Amino acid sequence: MNDVSLSVAAPPHQIALFTNHAHVLVLIAQQPDLRMREIAATVGITERAVQRIVDDLTATGYVTVKKDGRRNRYEILHNSPVQHPIAKHRNIGELVRFVYPQFATQS
């Protein structure tokens, strides 16, 4: 009998299950007054990318931005429906609570 052992160590694949948009959304849920540079450093993207993402999130009605002195304060609009056919029966608040359960008590 031929005993063949496949013990080749393949490097583990890293799969990002959440987009940078989702990461930014969850960070905003955790700390609504984070600066864009802090968000960028935490997510691992540029400040300009964070600006584009926040623009996208506000344009789709997921987030509002309010001035608080010289800083911005973000608010997630919990009841905004997810704008994808697979998840259209869910809202943004449910998505954020999936990743960050403490968000439920901050409403």
Side-chain angles (χ1 to χ4, degrees):
M1 192 156 110
N2 202 0
D3 188 16
V4 177
S5 170
L6 295 177
S7 63
V8 176
H13 293 293
Q14 292 185 350
I15 300 171
L17 292 177
F18 294 101
T19 65
N20 288 337
H21 283 69
H23 291 297
V24 169
L25 194 63
V26 170
L27 285 173
I28 288 171
Q30 292 172 344
Q31 290 184 271
D33 60 346
L34 272 178
R35 291 187 168 107
M36 288 201 182
R37 89 172 66 98
E38 296 166 325
I39 294 171
T42 303
V43 176
I45 57 179
T46 65
E47 283 185 60
R48 183 67 189 123
V50 173
Q51 289 172 344
R52 283 192 301 269
I53 289 170
V54 170
D55 287 346
D56 289 345
L57 294 173
T58 56
T60 55
Y62 294 158
V63 172
T64 61
V65 182
K66 296 178 182 164
K67 277 295 210 191
D68 186 11
R70 295 184 64 196
R71 295 185 74 160
N72 288 332
R73 183 164 184 80
Y74 305 97
E75 181 182 350
I76 295 175
L77 302 174
H78 309 70
N79 295 321
S80 297
V82 175
Q83 297 179 1
H84 191 281
I86 292 174
K88 66 183 177 186
H89 62 288
R90 298 290 185 192
N91 64 43
I92 289 302
E94 293 170 321
L95 173 69
V96 171
R97 280 189 294 276
F98 175 76
V99 178
Y100 179 57
Q102 297 87 339
F103 184 65
T105 63
Q106 296 178 357
S107 302

